[in-house]
Amino acid sequence: MEERKVRKAKVLIVDDNFIGFRILPHYLKKHWQVCVDEAQNGKIGIKMISENQYDLVIMDIFMPVMDGFEATKAIRAIEGEYFQKVPIFGLLHMIDEEFIARVIQCGMTGWLEKPINLDQLTQKLSIYLK
């Protein structure tokens, strides 16, 4: 796999399971050479995004404390252009019309399937981490 370098890009992963905290950060650091921060639920993710500027957020949908839909709505409700435009991708186990509608309704930029499809992830990163 070709290495891609994105200077000083920062990615926030909001996920409560092994894939989010082990595999995905490793892939992003190794193949994209970006800085990765991690949050274990939506509430922590909101705090981190309000204190830091991220180039992209990968948000699990189903988490304890606050799920990805509610966290995204809360981020989009924060005043400021950054919070309206930061790309947020939901991690979904099931891709169906209902979930796609909810992803769009809550303000997410798009979605990624679980388990992570590296080709799909690379495509999204190529577009949003220029």
Side-chain angles (χ1 to χ4, degrees), residues 111-122:
W111 61 89
L112 296 165
E113 293 180 66
K114 274 186 170 182
I116 295 291
N117 175 318
L118 294 180
D119 290 335
Q120 182 188 43
L121 176 62
T122 297

Side-chain angles (χ1 to χ4, degrees), residues 26-38:
H26 174 75
Y27 173 80
L28 291 171
K29 290 174 186 174
K30 181 178 179 185
H31 294 285
W32 285 83
Q33 298 179 355
V34 297
C35 297
V36 178
D37 287 341
E38 303 161 22

Side-chain angles (χ1 to χ4, degrees), residues 12-17 21-22 38-45 48 60 62-66:
L12 175 63
I13 299 171
V14 185
D15 198 345
D16 66 324
N17 71 31
F21 278 114
R22 299 295 174 257
E38 303 161 22
Q40 292 181 332
N41 62 59
K43 189 173 181 180
I44 296 169
M48 291 179 73
D60 190 21
F62 299 110
M63 297 177 286
V65 183
M66 180 182 281

Side-chain angles (χ1 to χ4, degrees), residues 83-101:
F83 300 104
Q84 307 310 307
K85 294 190 175 192
V86 62
I88 302 173
F89 287 91
L91 288 174
L92 300 169
H93 286 286
M94 299 184 322
I95 305 294
D96 63 23
E97 287 182 25
E98 177 188 345
F99 278 103
I100 291 170

Side-chain angles (χ1 to χ4, degrees), residues 59-61 67-73 76 86-92 99 102-111:
M59 176 94 62
D60 190 21
I61 296 301
D67 70 26
F69 293 127
E70 291 192 28
T72 300
K73 286 179 190 176
R76 297 300 191 215
V86 62
I88 302 173
F89 287 91
L91 288 174
L92 300 169
F99 278 103
R102 289 182 70 191
V103 162
I104 293 166
Q105 183 180 33
C106 78
M108 288 183 177
T109 308
W111 61 89

